[in-house]
Amino acid sequence: MNNNSKLVLVALLSGVTTLAGYKVFLDDNSIFAKKSIVTQAPAQFGRTVGLGTEVLDFTAAADKTIHTVVHVKNVSFRTVSNPLMDFFYGFQGGQMQQQEQVGTGSGVIISEDGYIVTNNHVVKDASEIEITLNNKKTFKAKLVGTDSKMDIALLKIDSNEKLPYSVFADSDAVKIGEWVLAVGNPYNLTSTVTAGIVSAKARNLDTNGIQSFIQTDAAVNPGNSGGALVNTRGELIGINTMISSQTGSYIGYSFAVPSNITRKIIEDIMEFGNVQRGILGVEGGELNGNASKDLGISETEGFYIKKVNKNSGAEKAGLTKGDIIKKIDNQTVSTYAELSGYINTKRPNDKVVVTFVRDGKTITASVVLTKNELFNTEFKGIEMENIDASDKKKFRIDSGVKIKEITNENLKPYYEELKGNIIISIDNVPVNDVESASRILNKKDENQSISIEMLNKIGQRIRIII
């Protein structure tokens, strides 16, 4: 065989080998191709509208919002003594002085006639409240009402002209990853705008108050409290409330009260003068891998009912211990924050549809929410209920629970001394209301001793261990 024939033969063999290799390694029907774990995006991937310049242009939303966000100045006074005068003249001869304290924050105009929403902590204990608009005009504001539990306050100013205002969006419809703007007055700077995305929803920070924050990575600093969190259309989706930081300045995450909760609080204050809270009447906790393992159940998401309160809507609807709540109306419930966040937008006598799992079967029930003031809990023979306005005024307190009844045999000899007392802390953890007391006590065993600090009927602090 001459050299030319050998070259032709080699070329043919090479071609056959190449085709065989293609068939074995690259052809869709080959065994190697079927084991591939790499998925290639289609050619048009990434070309769809979503991150174009028109979506990232926040100018319209910013311009719409900055005129509705105001600077809030809180002036309060505290009485201080002069130690030097006290030393020379004794306590009664000492001179008492009024010391002015000034705090600042932000607020959002929500109506053309001058209603403004802000945080309760921005105006707490204020003797005077001054509002400065974006156009530098100043007004004295009147405090219409507050909700310390949800950290919301409603103010009113009187203006001769119609004011620009923010409209509320549906915070339940907000999506994780959605672009948002935070507008406020950090460090006394006028109407500052920062941008970020929604990092999480229904965030539980265990603040013994609201349990359902919108978390964002938009920069929020001191002074932003009470300012607006808006979507790219300039619609209000939250009221900026706090930051997560060890330094007191922004380091990555901020939190806002959802607009649906804010709107409900404002409407309650304007219509009833106070906040109307409805409750399901269940106690328990959210499920996860460890909790489900301890309970011996397969479900790892949802709210597990440990107790149903007597005469509550949940009891009347047939919910029992061991049921796992999966949805309230159309809202999925996988955490306690999602449950409480949705219920906080409702009032007593509102009806909700609860979807729950019992013995592996999915069941729905219609539940009428009961009034929060009727909510009580019991632990170790001590039945507790929320304090009312007269208790708050009498004891000069904003929070606590009252001992309604005592069935504990060991405490029966002290029945008269204890009934009616106001519990202010359990195991050194402050108690705001029956809900917070329940969360603390749910973590305790019946055979575990607890320390209770309380105010007796004449306002003296006492502590008992049971």
Side-chain angles (χ1 to χ4, degrees):
M1 184 181 293
N2 58 32
N3 289 336
N4 288 335
S5 298
K6 290 180 179 179
L7 288 174
V8 171
L9 181 60
V10 170
L12 287 172
L13 290 173
S14 298
V16 171
T17 304
T18 301
L19 288 171
Y22 170 82
K23 195 68 179 174
V24 172
F25 292 99
L26 300 177
D27 185 46
D28 289 341
N29 296 320
S30 72
I31 58 172
F32 290 94
K34 289 180 179 179
K35 293 183 178 180
S36 174
I37 61 173
V38 177
T39 303
Q40 185 176 358
Q44 70 272 22
F45 185 81
R47 296 179 184 175
T48 56
V49 177
L51 292 177
T53 55
E54 68 277 11
V55 177
L56 294 178
D57 186 357
F58 301 135
T59 56
D63 183 63
K64 182 187 294 186
T65 308
I66 59 174
H67 302 292
T68 71
V69 174
V70 301
H71 180 269
V72 181
K73 180 181 177 182
N74 168 355
V75 179
S76 60
F77 298 90
R78 70 170 183 169
T79 302
V80 296
S81 62
N82 187 323
L84 189 61
M85 297 297 288
D86 287 345
F87 177 78
F88 284 107
Y89 298 103
F91 178 75
Q92 293 183 346
Q95 295 183 351
M96 307 299 288
Q97 297 176 334
Q98 291 290 313
Q99 186 178 81
E100 181 181 287
Q101 294 181 308
V102 176
T104 61
S106 304
V108 184
I109 304 173
I110 57 170
S111 69
E112 63 182 14
D113 59 345
Y115 280 98
I116 296 170
V117 63
T118 185
N119 287 144
N120 176 66
H121 75 261
V122 170
V123 296
K124 186 178 180 180
D125 300 326
S127 299
E128 299 174 6
I129 301 173
E130 183 180 278
I131 300 296
T132 303
L133 306 184
N134 193 53
N135 61 10
K136 310 303 181 187
K137 292 183 178 180
T138 61
F139 299 86
K140 294 295 183 183
K142 179 179 71 173
L143 181 62
V144 179
T146 66
D147 182 5
S148 58
K149 179 178 180 180
M150 300 300 181
D151 199 17
I152 293 294
L154 182 64
L155 311 176
K156 178 69 167 65
I157 60 174
D158 294 322
S159 174
N160 295 327
E161 57 186 5
K162 293 182 178 180
L163 301 172
Y165 62 94
S166 288
V167 298
F168 283 80
D170 180 4
S171 55
D172 288 339
V174 172
K175 303 294 184 183
I176 295 175
E178 180 178 336
W179 282 100
V180 290
L181 301 180
V183 185
N185 300 275
Y187 304 114
N188 285 325
L189 301 173
T190 57
S191 293
T192 298
V193 181
T194 56
I197 63 169
V198 174
S199 306
K201 293 176 61 179
R203 182 65 80 197
N204 184 349
L205 300 182
D206 196 25
T207 60
N208 289 324
I210 182 174
Q211 301 291 322
S212 190
F213 289 100
I214 295 175
Q215 178 183 323
T216 79
D217 64 354
V220 170
N221 279 293
N224 268 112
S225 291
L229 185 70
V230 301
N231 58 25
T232 53
R233 296 182 297 276
E235 299 164 341
L236 191 67
I237 63 170
I239 299 297
N240 296 317
T241 298
M242 65 174 66
I243 58 178
S244 177
S245 170
Q246 295 179 343
T247 65
S249 298
Y250 174 79
I251 58 170
Y253 295 113
S254 56
F255 303 90
V257 181
S259 59
N260 286 3
I261 294 176
T262 302
R263 185 177 68 247
K264 187 262 181 183
I265 291 170
I266 292 167
E267 291 172 349
D268 281 358
I269 291 174
M270 295 179 71
E271 184 175 352
F272 304 102
N274 55 37
V275 179
Q276 305 289 300
R277 289 197 174 92
I279 60 167
L280 273 177
V282 297
E283 300 176 37
E286 62 186 61
L287 292 175
N288 54 42
N290 291 331
S292 299
K293 184 178 180 181
D294 292 340
L295 292 168
I297 58 178
S298 59
E299 296 282 347
T300 57
E301 285 188 321
F303 183 85
Y304 182 84
I305 299 177
K306 293 181 180 178
K307 178 182 177 183
V308 177
N309 298 115
K310 293 180 180 179
N311 300 319
S312 66
E315 183 187 53
K316 293 174 182 177
L319 274 72
T320 62
K321 178 181 178 181
D323 290 344
I324 302 168
I325 298 176
K326 306 292 284 187
K327 291 177 68 175
I328 304 287
D329 291 337
N330 292 320
Q331 299 297 313
T332 300
V333 173
S334 57
T335 66
Y336 171 72
E338 289 171 340
L339 173 66
S340 64
Y342 186 72
I343 294 298
N344 281 331
T345 66
K346 302 296 181 180
R347 294 190 178 99
N349 298 319
D350 281 353
K351 187 178 293 185
V352 296
V353 177
V354 179
T355 302
F356 60 95
V357 173
R358 178 187 294 170
D359 299 327
K361 297 180 180 179
T362 300
I363 307 170
T364 60
S366 182
V367 179
V368 178
L369 303 182
T370 49
K371 198 169 185 178
N372 189 46
E373 282 72 16
L374 302 176
F375 181 32
N376 59 71
T377 190
E378 185 269 341
F379 188 80
K380 287 193 173 184
I382 299 178
E383 187 176 340
M384 293 163 271
E385 63 181 356
N386 284 320
I387 58 176
D388 56 24
S390 62
D391 291 324
K392 293 179 180 180
K393 183 177 181 180
K394 175 183 177 182
F395 294 100
R396 297 180 180 179
I397 55 177
D398 294 323
S399 59
V401 296
K402 179 185 284 188
I403 298 178
K404 181 180 180 181
E405 190 58 63
I406 295 175
T407 58
N408 187 319
E409 290 299 325
N410 293 329
L411 297 177
K412 280 290 185 179
Y414 313 101
Y415 182 89
E416 293 300 327
E417 288 84 356
L418 294 177
K419 183 180 179 181
N421 288 358
I422 307 297
I423 296 175
I424 56 178
S425 74
I426 298 174
D427 282 346
N428 296 319
V429 178
V431 172
N432 292 334
D433 51 24
V434 170
E435 289 175 278
S436 63
S438 295
R439 285 196 296 274
I440 298 170
L441 295 173
N442 279 338
K443 300 175 182 177
K444 308 291 182 181
D445 295 327
E446 282 287 340
N447 58 359
Q448 184 179 1
S449 63
I450 60 171
S451 172
I452 299 177
E453 185 180 8
M454 65 183 75
L455 298 175
N456 64 16
K457 298 179 187 65
I458 60 174
Q460 296 174 327
R461 287 184 179 242
I462 60 175
R463 187 183 293 271
I464 64 171
I465 298 176
I466 61 173

